[in-house]
Amino acid sequence: MKSLNLTFKGSLGKAHTLKLGYANDNLDAKTVKNTMDQLAALDLFVANGEKNLRSTCFC
């Protein structure tokens, strides 16, 4: 089983990881980066005063 770990950096400098199981093996770096940017823009992961997540793709 393949998984995809997406790492984001918050406004306080902390790293946050979103782990997705059953990832598609055919994803390219550009697709992953674009999707991470879209997720970061949604402000889904705002907590404890930390926001403005930035994608840190190590693709």
Side-chain angles (χ1 to χ4, degrees):
M1 168 179 65
K2 296 281 183 170
S3 65
L4 181 63
N5 295 322
L6 305 176
T7 304
F8 298 87
K9 191 171 192 177
S11 60
L12 300 177
K14 294 181 183 178
H16 303 275
T17 303
L18 176 63
K19 185 174 183 176
L20 305 172
Y22 306 103
N24 184 339
D25 292 338
N26 299 319
L27 294 174
D28 60 24
K30 184 177 179 181
T31 301
V32 173
K33 174 73 170 137
N34 287 338
T35 303
M36 289 179 72
D37 289 340
Q38 290 174 7
L39 286 170
L42 294 173
D43 288 335
L44 294 174
F45 310 107
V46 176
N48 300 324
E50 185 170 35
K51 49 183 160 179
N52 301 325
L53 290 181
R54 299 180 308 279
S55 60
T56 55
C57 184
F58 303 107
C59 308

